[in-house]
Amino acid sequence: MKVCVIGAGYVGATTAACLAELGHNVCCIDIDEEKVDKINAGSPPIHEDCLKELLQKHVGKRLRATTDYDTIADSDVCFICVGTPSGPNGEIDLSLIKAASKSVGITLKNSENYHVIAVKSTVVPETTQNVIIPIIEEHSQKKAGADFGIVMNPEFLREGNAIHDFMHPDRVVIGELDERSGEIVAQLYKDLNAPMIRIDLKTAEMIKYASNAFLATKISFSNEIGNMCKMLGIDVYDVMRAVGLDQRISPHFLQAGVGFGGSCFPKDVKALIHKAEMLGYQPKVLKSVMDVNEEQPERMICLLERRAGNISGKKIAVLGLAFKNDTDDIRESRAIPAIRMLLEKGGNVSTYDPLANENMRAIFPDVEYCHSAKDALKDADACLVMTEWEEFKKLGDEFNVMKNKIVIDGRKVITPRKDIDYEGLCW
Ligand code: UDX
C-alpha cells in the first residue's frame, strides 16, 4: 500500500521506517527540511535503536521524505504523527494537529481517490470526532465515512525501543469511524503477530490514555510504598519483586525511585486530569500519581541535605540527565527539578550523562558538563544518581575522587560499598 506519514519525530520516523519494513511504499512528510534531508540521506533525525539500519535498508527504495504535502494525494493511508505537547493547564496543545488536519483537507479536496486518515498522535477522547474530522471536512469539502475514511490508531512505543515495539506489539488498536476505514488500516498491519482491537474512535483514544496512566500509576504506587519502606528500613525492590510475581500485577513498571519523565507519561496523565475536570469529574487517583511523582526529586534533595548539610557553595555531582537510560531525551527528566533545586540552594553542579549533556545545556547553560562520571565526581561534596544508565552500575573506584563520598541513588543502580556514604531513595 502507499502510505504517507506526517511528522518525522520519534513516532513518525519509526512508523515510516517500520511500515516500509512491512513492505509498504512510504513517504514521510515534515516541514523541517533538515529532518527531511537527514531521512533521505539514511540518517535518523532522532536517537532510536535500529532506526538507522531500517532507513539505510529502505531509503531510495520503499521510503523517502519530503516537505511537500501534495504527496498525500498519491497515498492510500495518511498517518498523522505530529506532537501534542502540554498546554498551560495540562490540556493538550492541538495546534500542530489542527495544522496537519487542514493540510490533509486541502490536499483531499483535489484528489479523486479514496484516502484513509489515521490519527496516531495522542489525542484525548472525542478529539478525532470533534476537532480533526470537522477540519478535514471543511477544507476538503468532503464527508468522513463517505468520501474519505478515518481511524484513530494509537501507538504504544517506548523511546529507545520504538522499532522493536512497533514490530512486536502487545496489541494493535484501530478505532474506526466505519468498517471500510478500519479494514484498510488493518491490512497494513496484517503481518504483525498481535491481537487486533477494532473499536470506535473515542474508545481507541481512551485506551491510549488509560494504558499510559496505568503504567504511571504503577510507578507512583511503587514509589509511595518505597517511601514507606525507606522509613521502615525495608528494601522496596525486595517487596516489589515478590509483589510482581502475582500474575495479576506483573513484574514490570514497579521500579521505585525518583519517578517518571519523558514525552508521554507526565503529559498524558495531566491531559487526562484536564479532560476529567472538563467533564466535571475530580480524578483523585490520577492527581495523586502526579503529586507523588513531583515530590520524589524533592525527597532526594532532603536526603542530600540530611547527609551533606547546607548545599550552598558545595559541589554536587549529578549523574544522569536523560529521562531514562539509552536516550538523549531530557523532556520531563527528573534531573531537571533536582538541578533547579540545587542551583536555587546555591549549589555548584557538575553533571555527566552518556548522551544527554548537550540537550541539558539548553536548559542549564551555566552548569558544568563532563565527559565522564569520574570527571563530574572530582572534588564533589556529594552525588545524586538520576538515571538508570547501565554504565553507572559499574561505578566503584570513580567515587574515590570525591571530596566527600556521599551518594544518593534515585534509581538503585549503584552498588553500595563500605567506603561510600550510600543512601537509596526508597530502600
Ligand atoms: C512510555 C510508554 O512506555 C509507551 O508505551 C508510550 O507510548 C510512551 O510512554 P517512554 O516514555 O519511552 O514510553 O518510557 P518508559 O520506558 O515507559 O519510561 C518512562 C519513565 O518511567 C522513565 O522516566 C523511567 O525512568 C520511569 N520508570 C519506568 C520508572 O521510574 N520505573 C519503572 O518501573 C519503569
Side-chain angles (χ1 to χ4, degrees):
M1 258 188 257
K2 288 183 184 169
V3 181
C4 264
V5 176
I6 302 177
Y10 102 97
V11 174
T14 301
T15 301
C18 289
L19 287 172
E21 179 72 3
L22 288 173
H24 305 294
N25 281 306
V26 185
C27 182
C28 195
I29 306 172
D30 201 292
I31 46 171
D32 184 338
E33 280 188 31
E34 204 182 317
K35 278 189 185 164
V36 166
D37 290 345
K38 275 192 153 181
I39 291 179
N40 285 330
S43 166
I46 42 144
H47 181 85
E48 194 55 59
D49 201 29
C50 300
L51 183 56
K52 190 172 184 185
E53 289 80 350
L54 283 191
L55 291 183
Q56 295 193 340
K57 186 170 165 192
H58 298 300
V59 165
K61 293 167 196 144
R62 288 203 290 268
L63 177 59
R64 70 187 180 93
T66 179
T67 53
D68 181 10
Y69 270 78
D70 288 342
T71 317
I72 298 167
D74 190 36
S75 69
D76 302 304
V77 180
C78 174
F79 283 90
I80 298 180
C81 299
V82 296
T84 49
S86 271
N89 300 316
E91 79 282 14
I92 49 170
D93 175 350
L94 289 175
S95 49
L96 294 173
I97 280 276
K98 287 179 179 171
S101 305
K102 182 177 171 186
S103 302
V104 168
I106 291 168
T107 317
L108 292 196
K109 188 173 185 186
N110 302 316
S111 174
E112 299 294 315
N113 303 336
Y114 177 83
H115 300 272
V116 178
I117 314 306
V119 179
K120 221 179 232 311
S121 302
T122 300
V123 288
V124 293
E126 301 181 316
T127 306
T128 303
Q129 187 70 57
N130 294 349
V131 179
I132 298 174
I133 291 178
I135 294 175
I136 300 176
E137 286 184 334
E138 181 195 338
H139 292 279
S140 65
Q141 297 292 304
K142 292 184 175 177
K143 186 89 191 106
D147 307 318
F148 66 91
I150 191 142
V151 306
M152 198 282 145
N153 172 218
E155 50 77 22
F156 304 96
L157 310 173
R158 287 165 302 166
E159 270 186 65
N161 296 289
I163 302 283
H164 173 273
D165 290 350
F166 191 102
M167 300 306 285
H168 307 279
D170 291 335
R171 74 298 208 194
V172 173
V173 176
I174 299 176
E176 55 198 49
L177 180 67
D178 59 307
E179 204 182 335
R180 184 182 179 193
S181 313
E183 196 50 41
I184 290 173
V185 174
Q187 281 303 310
L188 278 178
Y189 294 118
K190 70 176 173 21
D191 292 336
L192 294 179
N193 181 22
M196 204 170 277
I197 313 291
R198 304 266 300 267
I199 205 90
D200 63 88
L201 294 170
K202 63 185 176 189
T203 307
E205 291 165 333
M206 187 52 120
I207 289 170
K208 167 68 191 243
Y209 278 94
S211 299
N212 273 359
F214 187 72
L215 292 171
T217 304
K218 285 185 90 173
I219 298 170
S220 277
F221 177 84
S222 298
N223 289 342
E224 182 147 272
I225 298 291
N227 294 338
M228 290 168 65
C229 284
K230 177 84 190 160
M231 294 169 183
L232 291 162
I234 299 168
D235 184 337
V236 69
Y237 278 68
D238 292 337
V239 174
M240 287 308 174
R241 200 175 306 120
V243 170
L245 287 175
D246 185 326
Q247 289 186 19
R248 295 168 299 174
I249 296 174
S250 109
H252 306 289
F253 282 73
L254 296 176
Q255 317 274 305
V258 73
F260 56 81
S263 63
C264 293
F265 286 171
K267 168 177 85 84
D268 292 352
V269 179
K270 281 187 217 159
L272 199 52
I273 290 172
H274 184 266
K275 181 70 185 179
E277 287 173 340
M278 290 292 103
L279 294 169
Y281 178 74
Q282 282 306 316
K284 299 189 189 75
V285 174
L286 297 178
K287 283 185 171 173
S288 303
V289 167
M290 288 312 296
D291 288 347
V292 171
N293 202 52
E294 299 298 327
E295 281 168 18
Q296 291 307 88
E298 293 170 22
R299 300 181 79 84
M300 282 200 66
I301 303 296
C302 282
L303 288 180
L304 172 69
E305 286 179 318
R306 216 178 293 158
R307 289 266 172 166
N310 193 338
I311 290 165
S312 181
K314 294 207 168 111
K315 177 175 173 175
I316 312 296
V318 175
L319 300 187
L321 302 173
F323 82 92
K324 65 174 185 180
N325 59 319
D326 296 338
T327 177
D328 63 353
D329 195 340
I330 56 158
R331 282 176 288 178
E332 298 283 342
S333 166
R334 300 294 75 204
I336 297 172
I339 293 174
R340 190 164 289 133
M341 280 181 268
L342 292 174
L343 295 176
E344 278 166 9
K345 287 173 183 286
N348 301 316
V349 178
S350 60
T351 67
Y352 166 68
D353 188 280
L355 289 177
N357 277 2
E358 288 317 308
N359 285 340
M360 196 59 97
R361 202 187 291 273
I363 298 185
F364 298 113
D366 299 329
V367 157
E368 186 188 351
Y369 294 90
C370 301
H371 294 297
S372 70
K374 192 174 175 181
D375 284 351
L377 291 167
K378 192 158 180 358
D379 298 327
D381 292 283
C383 154
L384 300 182
V385 181
M386 304 302 294
T387 312
E388 59 273 40
W389 282 102
E390 201 59 31
E391 70 170 72
F392 294 162
K393 293 184 181 162
K394 297 182 197 113
L395 291 177
D397 291 345
E398 287 83 354
F399 293 115
N400 291 342
V401 299
M402 295 177 77
K403 193 155 102 193
N404 292 309
K405 292 181 220 162
I406 299 170
V407 178
I408 315 287
D409 187 354
R411 297 288 184 185
K412 205 171 190 338
V413 287
I414 305 298
T415 312
R417 305 166 4 145
K418 278 202 189 77
D419 61 335
I420 61 172
D421 195 359
Y422 176 87
E423 179 108 58
L425 181 56
C426 301
W427 49 93

